[in-house]
């Protein structure tokens, strides 16, 4: 007979065995989610779009064929990080998490960089459970609904935290499902509890790894080389876990560059002139003929390739400059918010500066050449370590009368909204002021926070200090921002408000006059991108202020051309967005200047030629007296070198290096476009408007042909020189 102790042991053993068996035998099922919280609050602005996080756990997918057009979808716009906290009905063994989302790059909607997964038993102490990559190799600019998932989690949890690193400007989801076993073998938290700092470090590291993964794969696809070798590297990149490590990243950079090394290519460095400085120009061999007006800049791109399967250092030598103002830039790639490697940075280099090449690496140098006098010179560029002879640029400048006086008389306006209150400007004010002048910017916009509209008790020291950045001759736009009066009119346009406004305005006017700013250069800027519900306020204000202060002038920007009939009669200058508006329908009125502008979303990814350079050609073709874009220096996050450190990509056309500024291809292409306008206007003066616009139309009709503007500019210069 068994002892009592043995019988008890036998019963306990039997019960444990049954429990273990039932636990192991239990199949994974969809787990019930009790509650969910999201941060920040979804802000996608489509009318009717839900902001209730419970729709993520209602078991229903969006019914609309486009995810973000369905009201059962949560959407976020311009956020750098999104957190979704989930609480399960009971503590469970979680094996899989899936989140349903969609993308269409053409609509600005991307799959996320990644989704970080953290689990907890008590909702306070979290452990890392893995992540979900959002990388997808389907065709870009097409719609695709995707279920992103991780089915290898294996973690006990009652609370789950999903931290999403978006890519692009928008992210959408309509459903989250969690799979696992409702009873876990051991209901204890992992010992690897994370501090808040450790948790954020994991998020940042995974984010960097995904950015680098996409950058390397993008570069891989752009390279020539053996298809099998490329595919092998691609598979390695998809499975590499440590791409946040810069040494690992550089290893793959060199590996990819080496793909283009050919055994049949002569060793050493080779170089060639490209047909366009702003994109993937065609090879024009080792010589270039340049005919250019004096006082304008001509840009030449030179592609240099290391044909060896080893690292090479070189430097360049320029001969035959002969008082030609010359700047040389090495183009550098920047990773954009859409995870593309874009050659945009123009890093200034000097003679004898060292250029380091990885095996098979290609670099592009851009030369900016300008002469104030007529000159003719053969410029020779050579590289140490090159087996080629010197590259020859036959440069000739001709005086067509495009001088400072001509430019001032032409009165062509450039507005890039350089707000000196923005963080990027701090400590660089003087360099930026000169840079703006060099690029023909002549509009000085003063923000509302500096102006303090209707504040009649301030000493206006903010304005006086801000005016240190003013450049003589610039037009001054006083951004008084009346948009807020739509929702909260208060006493707007009542006698008491009008009295206070005039007191404020007269004080501001005197301060500007004391700084030698003339009446004709001062404008009130009451609305930006005016909307339909703001039109009545604009009309009442503009009519009134012109009646009591006849010298006052009005400037505003317009998003939709349909508002022009109501705005045009009262605006002295109106600047219309080029996007989605037919510029051919605009009929400028005498005494009411028509300008155009563009908004450069994901600006580093925007084509320098078609969007920046050709903006001035559009102005000429459609009789606009000014151009501009948003913006010169609107930085999100802590660095203009990183598009992922803020809620959206930066709107910058320059970069920083300490207190110095570095130009971009886009900024120099824009400058070239303004100078194209000067030449077009000269051509019009000599050959007539119809002839000049016929040439401009040839360029605008093929905006992707980057050689066309170069060809037409050369033709105009040749004909004007005769």
């Amino acid at each position: 007979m068994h002892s009592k102790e043995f019988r008890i042991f036998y019963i306990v053993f039997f019960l444990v065995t049954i429990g273990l068996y039932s636990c192991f035998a239990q199949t994974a099922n969809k787990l019930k989610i009790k509650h969910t919280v999201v941060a920040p609050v979804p802000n996608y602005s489509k009318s009717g779009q839900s902001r209730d996080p419970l729709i993520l756990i209602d078991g229903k997918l969006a019914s609309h064929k486009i995810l973000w057009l369905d009201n059962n979808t949560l959407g976020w716009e311009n956020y750098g990080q999104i957190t979704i906290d989930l609480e399960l009905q009971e503590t469970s063994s979680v094996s899989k998490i899936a989140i349903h989302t969609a993308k269409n790059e053409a609509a600005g909607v991307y799959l996320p960089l990644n989704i970080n997964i953290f689990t907890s038993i008590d909702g306070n102490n979290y452990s890392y459970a893995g992540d979900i990559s959002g990388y997808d190799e389907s065709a870009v600019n097409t719609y695709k609904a995707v279920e992103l998932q991780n089915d290898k989690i294996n973690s006990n949890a009652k609370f789950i935290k999903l931290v999403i690193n978006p890519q692009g400007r928008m992210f959408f989801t309509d459903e989250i499902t969690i799979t696992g076993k409702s009873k876990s073998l051991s209901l204890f938290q992992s010992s690897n509890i994370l501090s808040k700092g450790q948790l954020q470090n994991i998020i940042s590291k995974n984010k960097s790894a995904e950015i680098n993964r996409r950058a390397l794969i993008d570069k891989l696809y752009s390279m020539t080389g053996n298809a099998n070798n490329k595919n092998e590297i691609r598979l390695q990149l998809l499975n590499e876990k440590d791409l946040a490590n810069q040494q690992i990243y550089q290893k793959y950079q060199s590996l990819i560059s080496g793909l283009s090394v050919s055994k049949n290519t002569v060793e050493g460095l080779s170089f060639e002139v490209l047909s366009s400085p702003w994109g993937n120009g065609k090879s024009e061999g080792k010589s270039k003929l340049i005919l250019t007006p004096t006082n304008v800049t001509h840009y030449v791109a030179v592609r240099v390739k290391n044909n060896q399967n080893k690292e090479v250092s070189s430097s360049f030598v320029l001969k035959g400059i002969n008082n030609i103002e010359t700047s040389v830039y090495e183009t550098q790639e920047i990773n954009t918010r859409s995870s593309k490697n874009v050659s945009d940075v123009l890093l200034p280099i000097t003679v004898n500066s060292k250029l380091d090449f990885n095996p098979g690496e290609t670099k592009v140098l851009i030369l900016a050449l300008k002469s104030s006098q007529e000159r003719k010179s053969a410029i020779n560029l050579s590289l140490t370590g090159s087996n080629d002879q010197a590259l020859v640029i036959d440069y000739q400048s001709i005086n067509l009368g495009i001088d400072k006086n001509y430019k001032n008389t032409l009165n062509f306006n450039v507005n890039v909204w350089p707000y000196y209150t923005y963080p990027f400007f701090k400590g660089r004010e003087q360099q930026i002021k000169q840079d703006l002048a060099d690029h023909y910017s002549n509009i000085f916009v003063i923000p509302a926070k500096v102006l303090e509209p209707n504040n009649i008790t301030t000493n206006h020291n903010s304005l006086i200090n801000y005016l240190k950045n003013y450049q003589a001759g610039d037009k001054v736009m006083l951004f008084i921002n009346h948009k807020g009066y739509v929702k909260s009119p208060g006493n707007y346009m009542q006698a008491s408000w009008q009295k206070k406004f005039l007191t404020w305005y007269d004080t501001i006017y005197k301060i500007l006059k004391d700084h030698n700013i003339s009446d004709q250069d001062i404008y009130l800027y009451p609305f930006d991108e005016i909307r339909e519900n703001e039109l009545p306020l604009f009309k009442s204000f503009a009519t009134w202020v012109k009646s009591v202060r006849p010298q006052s002038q009005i400037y505003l920007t317009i998003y939709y051309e349909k508002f022009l009939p109501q705005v045009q009669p009262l605006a002295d200058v109106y600047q219309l967005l080029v996007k989605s508006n037919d510029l051919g329908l605009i009929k400028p009125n005498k005494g009411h200047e028509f300008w155009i502008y563009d908004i450069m979303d994901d600006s580093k990814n925007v084509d320098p030629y078609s969007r920046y350079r050709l903006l001035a050609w559009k102005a000429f073709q459609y009789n606009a007296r000014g151009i501009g874009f948003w913006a010169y220096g609107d930085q999100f996050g802590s660095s203009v070198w990183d598009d992922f450190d803020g809620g959206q990509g930066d709107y910058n056309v320059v970069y920083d290096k300490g207190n110095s500024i570095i130009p971009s291809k886009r900024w120099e292409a824009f400058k070239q476009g303004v100078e194209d306008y000067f030449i077009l206007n000269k051509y019009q003066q000599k050959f007539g408007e119809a002839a000049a616009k016929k040439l401009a139309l040839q360029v605008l009709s093929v905006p992707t042909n980057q050689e066309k503007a170069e060809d037409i500019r050369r033709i105009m210069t040749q004909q004007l020189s005769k």
Side-chain angles (χ1 to χ4, degrees):
M1 181 177 288
H2 299 299
S3 67
K4 181 178 180 182
E5 290 82 0
F6 184 81
R7 288 198 304 271
I8 293 172
F9 171 79
Y10 182 81
I11 292 169
V12 170
F13 177 79
F14 178 75
L15 292 173
V16 169
T17 302
I18 291 175
L20 287 172
Y21 175 79
S22 63
C23 188
F24 280 119
Q26 185 183 15
T27 58
N29 295 303
K30 181 178 176 182
L31 298 174
K32 291 183 179 180
I33 304 173
K34 179 180 178 181
H35 188 59
T36 182
V37 176
V38 300
V41 174
N43 67 335
Y44 184 61
S45 59
K46 177 184 174 294
S47 177
Q49 197 87 38
S50 176
R51 296 190 177 185
D52 183 0
L54 294 179
I55 68 170
L56 297 179
I57 57 174
D58 62 2
K60 300 175 184 177
L61 294 178
S63 57
H64 198 286
K65 63 180 181 180
I66 304 294
L67 188 70
W68 47 88
L69 298 182
D70 195 292
N71 289 339
N72 200 49
T73 297
L74 297 188
W76 291 264
E77 187 171 12
N78 296 331
Y79 283 116
Q81 188 171 294
I82 299 161
T83 301
I84 301 176
D85 283 300
L86 304 154
E87 181 183 355
L88 299 177
Q89 196 74 37
E90 58 183 331
T91 304
S92 305
S93 177
V94 177
S95 58
K96 175 182 173 182
I97 294 177
I99 183 165
H100 191 255
T101 182
K103 65 94 181 175
N104 185 354
E105 296 84 355
V109 183
Y110 293 76
L111 296 180
L113 288 169
N114 78 311
I115 302 169
N116 302 277
I117 304 168
F118 301 93
T119 58
S120 172
I121 295 294
D122 59 10
N124 294 312
N125 300 296
Y126 281 87
S127 301
Y128 179 56
D131 81 321
I132 305 171
S133 173
Y135 180 73
D136 180 77
E137 293 188 312
S138 61
V140 298
N141 298 326
T142 58
Y143 179 82
K144 182 181 180 182
V146 179
E147 185 174 77
L148 300 175
Q149 63 178 31
N150 183 329
D151 58 1
K152 296 179 175 61
I153 293 176
N154 191 28
S155 178
N156 294 321
K158 189 173 193 300
F159 299 89
I160 297 170
K161 183 185 295 290
L162 304 179
V163 182
I164 299 151
N165 286 319
Q167 182 183 198
R169 293 187 297 113
M170 292 180 278
F171 173 74
F172 297 90
T173 181
D174 62 338
E175 193 67 21
I176 296 172
T177 56
I178 301 175
T179 305
K181 300 172 184 178
S182 59
K183 293 181 180 179
S184 61
L185 282 173
S186 51
L187 303 182
F188 56 84
Q189 178 84 18
S190 166
S191 60
N192 190 18
I193 303 300
L194 302 170
S195 66
K196 288 184 178 179
Q198 289 172 324
L199 187 145
Q200 192 58 50
N201 284 340
I202 289 172
I203 295 168
S204 298
K205 182 180 177 182
N206 287 343
K207 180 179 181 179
S208 295
E210 289 301 326
I211 292 170
N212 289 344
R213 191 185 321 279
R214 286 159 173 75
L216 289 167
I217 291 175
D218 184 53
K219 181 177 181 179
L220 179 66
Y221 284 156
S222 69
M223 300 295 291
T224 57
N226 182 278
N228 290 333
N229 292 342
K230 289 176 69 174
N231 190 54
E232 183 179 336
I233 295 173
R234 183 186 70 86
L235 292 174
Q236 291 178 35
L237 287 170
L238 290 176
N239 293 296
E240 178 62 62
K241 301 296 184 184
D242 200 19
L243 279 175
N245 184 313
Q246 278 302 108
Q247 288 184 327
I248 301 294
Y249 178 71
Q250 290 300 329
K251 180 193 80 172
Y252 280 104
Q253 284 271 33
S254 298
L255 195 61
I256 292 169
S257 294
L259 286 170
S260 64
V261 176
S262 172
K263 294 180 180 179
N264 299 321
T265 304
V266 63
E267 284 197 0
L269 297 173
S270 60
F271 53 91
E272 57 194 346
V273 179
L274 300 179
S275 57
S276 169
W278 310 130
N280 297 318
K282 303 170 187 174
S283 173
E284 292 189 334
K286 295 177 176 59
S287 63
K288 179 82 171 179
L289 180 64
I290 294 174
L291 181 65
T292 182
T294 55
N295 299 309
V296 301
T297 305
H298 197 98
Y299 298 87
V300 180
V302 178
R303 182 163 56 205
V304 186
K305 182 180 178 181
N306 175 20
N307 298 298
Q308 303 175 83
N309 197 18
K310 64 179 182 179
E311 294 180 354
V312 172
S313 291
S314 179
S315 59
F316 73 91
V317 178
L318 278 174
K319 296 180 180 179
I321 295 300
N322 296 338
N323 295 317
I324 299 168
E325 184 182 324
T326 305
S327 298
V328 182
Y329 303 96
E330 177 189 348
T331 64
Q332 289 192 354
E333 290 184 341
I334 192 85
N335 189 247
T336 71
R337 184 77 177 204
S338 55
S339 295
K340 296 294 182 184
N341 293 310
V342 176
S343 177
D344 184 56
V345 183
L346 294 181
L347 186 67
I349 57 175
T350 58
V351 172
N352 297 323
S353 292
K354 191 169 74 167
L355 298 170
D356 294 322
F357 293 82
N358 287 322
E361 184 179 7
T362 296
K363 292 181 184 289
V364 174
L365 306 181
I366 291 183
L367 283 66
L369 307 169
K370 178 180 177 181
S371 176
S372 59
Q373 298 179 17
E374 290 192 339
R375 298 194 185 282
K376 197 171 184 180
S377 182
I379 301 172
N380 288 264
L381 183 146
S382 59
L383 290 159
T384 60
S386 169
N387 293 332
D388 290 348
Q389 295 182 353
L391 184 149
V392 180
I393 301 171
D394 287 316
Y395 178 91
Q396 183 178 2
S397 56
I398 298 173
N399 186 359
L400 300 180
I402 301 176
D403 53 19
K404 185 175 182 180
N405 183 58
Y406 166 78
K407 295 170 185 176
N408 290 338
T409 304
L410 190 58
N411 188 31
F412 187 63
N413 300 281
V414 172
N415 182 15
V416 292
W417 284 272
Y419 284 139
Y420 284 84
T421 53
Y422 282 0
F424 181 80
F425 289 72
K426 189 174 182 180
R428 306 183 183 99
E429 290 86 353
Q430 291 308 307
Q431 295 95 318
I432 288 173
K433 183 177 177 180
Q434 184 60 53
D435 186 50
L436 289 167
D438 291 343
H439 289 74
Y440 305 105
S441 171
N442 66 334
I443 305 301
F444 187 70
V445 185
I446 305 179
K449 66 182 292 185
V450 172
L451 290 169
E452 302 175 87
N454 282 35
N455 186 343
I456 59 175
T457 61
T458 180
N459 57 17
H460 291 293
N461 280 339
S462 292
L463 173 61
I464 293 167
N465 288 329
Y466 196 84
L467 287 170
K468 293 176 183 177
N469 305 306
Y470 173 74
Q471 197 121 238
D474 283 0
K475 293 180 173 65
V476 176
M477 307 304 185
L478 306 175
F479 185 38
I480 51 179
N481 197 10
H482 286 182
K483 188 180 292 286
Y485 290 121
V486 174
K487 288 186 177 180
S488 304
N491 65 341
Y492 183 66
M493 290 305 295
Q494 295 177 15
S496 58
W497 185 94
Q498 291 176 345
K499 181 180 179 181
K500 183 180 285 188
F501 177 84
L502 290 177
T503 301
W504 170 85
Y505 181 47
D506 291 343
T507 303
I508 296 295
Y509 207 84
K510 183 179 184 305
I511 292 172
L512 297 179
K513 296 286 287 182
D514 289 344
H515 282 76
N516 298 315
I517 301 172
S518 67
D519 295 359
Q520 65 184 22
D521 290 333
I522 301 172
Y523 294 79
L524 289 167
Y525 179 5
F527 290 94
D528 183 62
E529 296 180 349
I530 193 166
R531 296 301 200 264
E532 190 165 12
N533 61 351
E534 297 164 355
L535 288 171
L537 278 68
F538 166 73
K539 288 193 285 187
S540 64
F541 171 76
T543 302
W544 167 75
V545 78
K546 284 177 174 288
S547 69
V548 294
R549 294 293 184 271
Q551 84 279 9
S552 63
Q553 300 181 100
I554 301 291
Y555 162 86
L556 80 166
T557 55
I558 306 173
Y559 206 85
Y560 300 111
E561 66 187 49
K562 64 182 179 181
F563 300 148
L564 279 176
Q566 299 180 68
V567 168
Q568 201 175 41
L570 292 169
D572 297 275
V573 175
Y574 54 97
Q575 194 158 8
L576 178 68
L577 181 68
V578 295
K579 181 181 177 181
S580 303
N581 288 312
D582 187 349
L583 301 182
L585 298 176
I586 311 304
K587 305 298 180 186
N589 290 345
K590 189 175 182 180
H592 304 273
E593 279 195 18
F594 166 50
W595 302 356
I596 57 175
Y597 76 104
D598 203 350
I599 301 173
M600 306 301 189
D601 293 327
D602 197 9
S603 63
K604 294 165 193 167
N605 209 37
V606 173
D607 179 32
Y609 177 80
S610 62
R611 294 281 295 282
Y612 285 90
R613 182 176 182 180
L614 295 193
L615 196 57
W617 290 74
K618 290 178 182 177
F620 181 83
Q621 184 70 15
Y622 298 109
N623 302 307
R625 302 295 300 165
I627 59 173
F629 60 85
W630 183 268
Y632 178 82
D634 189 7
Q635 172 184 326
F636 293 83
S638 59
S639 172
V640 293
W641 296 89
D642 184 357
D643 253 5
F644 290 93
D645 62 349
Q648 62 189 99
D650 304 308
Y651 291 90
N652 276 62
V653 287
V654 289
Y655 299 88
D656 59 339
K657 187 176 183 181
N659 284 337
S660 300
I661 54 174
I662 297 171
S664 67
K665 277 188 176 182
R666 295 167 290 123
W667 189 219
E668 297 308 302
F670 179 80
K671 176 182 178 179
Q672 189 177 33
V674 176
E675 293 179 341
D676 292 337
Y677 184 96
F678 298 155
I679 301 170
L680 279 162
N681 194 72
K682 275 288 182 183
Y683 193 88
Q684 176 178 266
Q685 290 175 359
K686 185 171 183 178
F687 298 104
E689 181 180 1
K693 288 193 172 181
K694 183 178 179 181
L695 292 179
L697 187 60
Q698 288 183 37
V699 172
L700 294 173
S701 298
V702 283
T704 58
N705 182 350
Q706 298 200 355
E707 288 80 22
K708 196 64 178 177
E710 295 291 320
D711 293 342
I712 296 299
R713 177 165 163 157
R714 183 178 62 253
I715 289 169
M716 290 191 294
T717 304
Q718 287 173 338
Q719 294 182 3
L720 286 167
S721 65
K722 294 177 181 178

